[in-house]
Amino acid sequence: MGNVLGFYLFLFGLFSFIGMGTAIAKPSPCEDCHVKITPMMVKDFNRGKMAKVLTCADCHGSDHMSEKDVDKAKLPTIETCKQCHPEQANQYLEGKHALGLVALQAMPYTHMQPKAFVEGQKGCGGCHTLGLKTQADRQTEGRKYYKYGMDCQNCHTRHAFSKAEASEPEACETCHMGFDHPQWEMWSGSKHGVTYLMERTIDPKNKDRAPKCQTCHMPKGNHRVFSAWGFLAVRLPEDDPEWMGYRATILKGLGVLDPNGKPTARLDVVKAGKVARLTKEDFEAERRRIVDVCKECHSPAFVDANIQNADKMVKAADKLFAEAIATVAGLYQDGIIQKKPGQAYAYPDLLTFYDVNTKVEEILYEMFMDHRMKAFQATFHMNPDYATWYGYAKMKKDLVEIKELAQEMRQAHFKATVKTRKK
Ligand code: HEC
Ligand code: HEC
Ligand code: HEC
Ligand code: HEC
Ligand code: HEC
Ligand code: HEC
Ligand code: HEC
Ligand code: HEC
């Protein structure tokens, strides 16, 4: 008898649980229509935690209610999520990601690209449409230039918005891969990555004995993502005078210093986009943040030796790079390469990337964006193969080619001037 009562009580509990579930899931008019229009989207959303509390209208507004007024649907920005997640949003806004669009728009080179490569979600814009704080940020040049953005939804893909998904290293892969920033390839091939990925299948509860991207770059779930060296691996001031010599040449190549070594307007861009750490305190603070993470698993002496060694590898790479820049700069100074329209100085401009007119500058661009990046980034991501063979070794090859080409260009130039003089 008691058992039967128990059974009824159980059924009662079960039904009220289901009833409660549907009451909280609150079917909305948006979902009723969208389950026909975009069924997978509705399904994704309802699997997530937010579906228990939110409806579509919480993020998209309720002005659009039919096929005819789709334009009235709001597309969320950081501001939307910030209403309920101020901690994560504020950290994110202080970090480097939120400057993605600033960096892109500041590049002289971006404006030479076909618009489709900038505003869509596959060219530069595919990774850099970051930092859309409000609806107004989507409007550039008087129209919807960046209609769709990719801030919080980068790691927490819509409409799953899952914490677990954002915590896996693959959440970073799509953007941090490939030619000039192959952190994914370097990490996943390193002892760190290999150990993490193996443990994820062997014994998932042990996977965090090796660090993934988030362990080092988002310690304690901090959304302020930043690094000491930044993308370009330049910093100021530099105590080592020899290294400062190389750095000065690199900064001239970046157009941050003019050929005489005076700061240019681009220094303001570097400041606005936080492209480089410009005080020792700033650099050290970022450095400490990450090194403290290493020390949770390794001994301090091991970590310090490792990081100091990594900095020395950056210096060695800079030596080759500075020599290459100076070689190409010599060709400008001697009138062998002419300035392009709009080019400020008779000096190679690294920030024009591949938009250059000579073969020798194409090689310099590859040395900059491909080989120096790998040499430097791999040293911090514990990947000996990338640091050596895809990085430093290729830089050596670039330098030989640049010097040989420079020689040929000088000879051809000399012959051409002799000929015109004879005429
Ligand atoms: C009667 C059907 C219907 C209802 C109700 C409806 N939608 Fe839509 N919605 C559509 C259709 C159809 C589209 C796609 C139009 C297209 O892509 O051409 C759309 C598109 C959207 C978009 C994409 C907008 C863009 O610019 O890409 C969002 C966001 C959206 N709906 C949210 C909502 C929300 C929130 C509600 C409830 C407040 C809602 N919808 C109610 C039919 C509906
Ligand atoms: C927590 C906030 C949030 C909720 C709730 C939400 N969305 Fe979205 N939605 C987003 C974000 C973020 C984007 C991407 C915006 C962008 O690309 O700039 C998006 C984009 C969209 C788009 C256009 C992009 C595409 O892939 O087609 C549609 C349509 C859409 N949502 C419909 C819905 C519907 C229907 C619901 C309810 C089932 C819903 N959303 C609930 C945040 C939300
Ligand atoms: C109206 C308030 C509200 C808005 C707006 C909102 N959220 Fe949430 N969010 C919540 C609530 C409530 C939870 C559930 C907390 C819980 O159950 O632990 C949540 C949970 C989450 C989680 C954790 C999910 C998990 O797997 O644990 C993520 C990630 C998240 N939100 C991201 C976003 C993003 C991104 C946006 C903007 C596109 C957004 N939220 C907008 C209220 C909101
Ligand atoms: C670069 C990837 C990345 C981006 C971009 C990102 N997140 Fe997260 N988010 C994470 C990770 C990783 C976690 C898990 C942190 C942890 O382990 O506590 C997380 C956790 C969360 C949580 C759950 C917090 C908790 O402890 O339950 C919320 C809410 C959230 N993020 C909101 C946001 C919002 C809002 C934005 C945009 C302003 C955003 N995230 C952008 C990676 C990201
Ligand atoms: C073991 C810790 C660790 C892991 C794991 C890790 N990183 Fe890093 N990362 C570093 C260190 C250290 C630096 C250099 C910091 C400095 O400048 O002092 C760095 C720098 C970076 C930079 C700046 C440019 C560069 O490459 O030096 C990016 C971007 C980056 N990491 C992304 C990632 C991504 C994405 C992943 C995962 C695929 C990842 N990192 C995994 C430690 C780590
Ligand atoms: C949508 C593409 C995208 C995703 C996904 C993404 N990032 Fe980034 N990340 C960027 C871009 C673009 C920048 C450079 C921002 C700028 O231009 O200022 C950046 C910058 C960084 C930096 C700072 C480098 C510096 O200059 O100091 C780190 C570290 C970093 N990301 C780590 C991560 C980690 C870890 C994840 C995953 C948890 C991740 N990112 C996910 C696009 C992305
Ligand atoms: C696959 C994604 C992706 C694409 C496509 C992409 N970027 Fe980036 N970009 C990144 C990431 C990730 C970083 C940060 C890498 C790091 O710090 O190692 C970055 C960094 C930068 C930076 C340096 C920002 C800083 O403050 O340090 C500039 C400038 C830049 N990108 C411009 C461009 C331009 C211009 C294009 C198009 C020709 C482009 N990017 C295409 C992902 C991308
Ligand atoms: C969550 C723990 C953890 C963190 C954090 C961590 N490591 Fe590791 N590290 C490991 C594990 C596990 C291995 C692989 C086991 C081994 O090689 O003995 C490893 C391997 C290494 C190796 C290769 C050693 C070898 O003998 O092959 C180097 C170098 C290294 N870590 C340096 C660092 C640096 C520098 C940092 C910080 C930027 C760091 N680690 C952060 C756990 C960690």
Side-chain angles (χ1 to χ4, degrees):
M1 186 68 188
N3 278 351
V4 174
L5 184 67
F7 179 70
Y8 280 111
L9 276 177
F10 167 77
L11 274 189
F12 177 75
L14 188 69
F15 283 125
S16 45
F17 177 76
I18 293 169
M20 216 168 73
T22 41
I24 293 172
K26 46 182 170 188
S28 69
C30 316
E31 285 191 33
D32 290 346
C33 185
H34 271 272
V35 85
K36 289 174 256 155
I37 310 279
T38 53
M40 291 310 285
M41 187 180 278
V42 176
K43 213 172 168 182
D44 275 347
F45 179 63
N46 281 298
R47 270 195 299 258
K49 276 190 186 163
M50 279 197 278
K52 295 196 178 69
V53 205
L54 270 63
T55 70
C56 317
D58 282 303
C59 292
H60 294 292
S62 42
D63 296 343
H64 139 72
M65 268 299 185
S66 78
E67 298 86 347
K68 291 183 203 77
D69 57 8
V70 174
D71 270 357
K72 289 188 185 150
K74 292 194 183 66
L75 290 169
T77 60
I78 302 168
E79 197 85 330
T80 317
C81 316
K82 192 177 161 179
Q83 292 164 30
C84 304
H85 304 296
E87 187 187 337
Q88 284 83 7
N90 286 327
Q91 289 171 342
Y92 179 84
L93 285 165
E94 283 170 20
K96 196 72 180 88
H97 280 141
L99 290 162
L101 207 47
V102 172
L104 190 68
Q105 287 175 330
M107 287 276 297
Y109 155 89
T110 305
H111 306 283
M112 301 177 210
Q113 297 311 297
K115 272 219 170 81
F117 274 80
V118 179
E119 63 189 10
Q121 291 193 301
K122 289 172 294 292
C124 316
C127 304
H128 279 274
T129 313
L130 297 168
L132 300 180
K133 293 186 204 83
T134 63
Q135 291 301 324
D137 291 338
R138 294 184 199 276
Q139 311 286 337
T140 310
E141 299 176 15
R143 60 201 187 90
K144 279 199 171 162
Y145 195 62
Y146 301 105
K147 181 175 177 188
Y148 299 103
M150 30 209 337
D151 282 292
C152 312
Q153 63 268 36
N154 270 341
C155 300
H156 305 284
T157 59
R158 67 179 187 269
H159 283 82
F161 298 115
S162 139
K163 179 177 163 178
E165 178 192 350
S167 302
E168 289 302 329
E170 283 87 346
C172 323
E173 181 179 355
T174 315
C175 305
H176 290 278
M177 61 165 292
F179 177 70
D180 53 338
H181 31 62
Q183 283 98 6
W184 171 262
E185 292 89 326
M186 298 182 303
W187 170 81
S188 57
S190 75
K191 263 291 164 225
H192 285 152
V194 166
T195 310
Y196 179 86
L197 295 169
M198 275 195 302
E199 289 289 13
R200 201 164 65 176
T201 37
I202 299 171
D203 189 0
K205 65 179 184 307
N206 280 345
K207 61 182 180 176
D208 287 320
R209 60 178 275 256
K212 59 193 174 185
C213 322
Q214 291 87 341
T215 317
C216 296
H217 293 294
M218 300 184 69
K220 300 189 177 74
N222 191 338
H223 281 57
R224 181 187 172 283
V225 168
F226 234 111
S227 82
W229 275 115
F231 181 49
L232 299 176
V234 293
R235 69 176 174 196
L236 288 172
E238 184 57 67
D239 290 338
D240 176 346
E242 183 196 343
W243 199 356
M244 188 56 218
Y246 309 144
R247 179 88 30 83
T249 306
I250 294 170
L251 290 172
K252 287 178 195 172
L254 292 169
V256 173
L257 298 180
D258 72 13
N260 299 316
K262 292 224 170 61
T264 68
R266 272 200 202 161
L267 185 62
D268 300 328
V269 173
V270 166
K271 283 181 188 157
K274 299 190 181 158
V275 178
R277 287 346 118 231
L278 300 173
T279 67
K280 201 169 258 183
E281 294 72 43
D282 281 355
F283 186 91
E284 290 305 330
E286 297 304 336
R287 187 39 86 65
R288 226 175 297 119
R289 243 161 51 97
I290 211 153
V291 163
D292 283 350
V293 179
C294 318
K295 291 177 182 171
E296 284 172 23
C297 302
H298 296 288
S299 80
F302 175 86
V303 172
D304 292 341
N306 215 280
I307 294 286
Q308 279 162 25
N309 172 263
D311 286 343
K312 282 189 194 141
M313 289 168 86
V314 181
K315 181 179 166 184
D318 282 356
K319 185 177 180 185
L320 300 184
F321 189 36
E323 192 177 343
I325 295 170
T327 306
V328 180
L331 296 172
Y332 271 99
Q333 274 145 24
D334 298 337
I336 297 163
I337 302 180
Q338 307 296 329
K339 264 196 331 179
K340 284 205 299 186
Q343 194 170 342
Y345 309 105
Y347 206 90
D349 185 354
L350 295 169
L351 289 194
T352 57
F353 289 178
Y354 46 77
D355 267 330
V356 289
N357 292 338
T358 63
K359 174 91 181 145
V360 74
E361 286 169 294
E362 278 291 346
I363 300 174
L364 186 65
Y365 149 72
E366 279 172 9
M367 187 181 197
F368 165 46
M369 285 291 275
D370 187 352
H371 306 140
R372 177 174 175 272
M373 287 300 183
K374 292 192 171 92
F376 133 65
Q377 296 168 354
T379 63
F380 289 106
H381 293 97
M382 318 305 152
N383 193 307
D385 192 70
Y386 267 78
T388 313
W389 301 115
Y390 292 109
Y392 191 77
K394 294 268 191 180
M395 291 184 76
K396 280 269 187 187
K397 182 170 167 278
D398 295 328
L399 184 57
V400 169
E401 284 176 9
I402 285 171
K403 284 183 161 174
E404 204 170 281
L405 264 175
Q407 190 68 21
E408 281 168 25
M409 288 170 83
R410 284 183 182 282
Q411 277 163 2
H413 183 76
F414 178 73
K415 275 190 201 147
T417 16
V418 172
K419 251 192 209 157
T420 36
R421 268 197 214 132
K422 275 190 186 154
K423 275 183 199 164

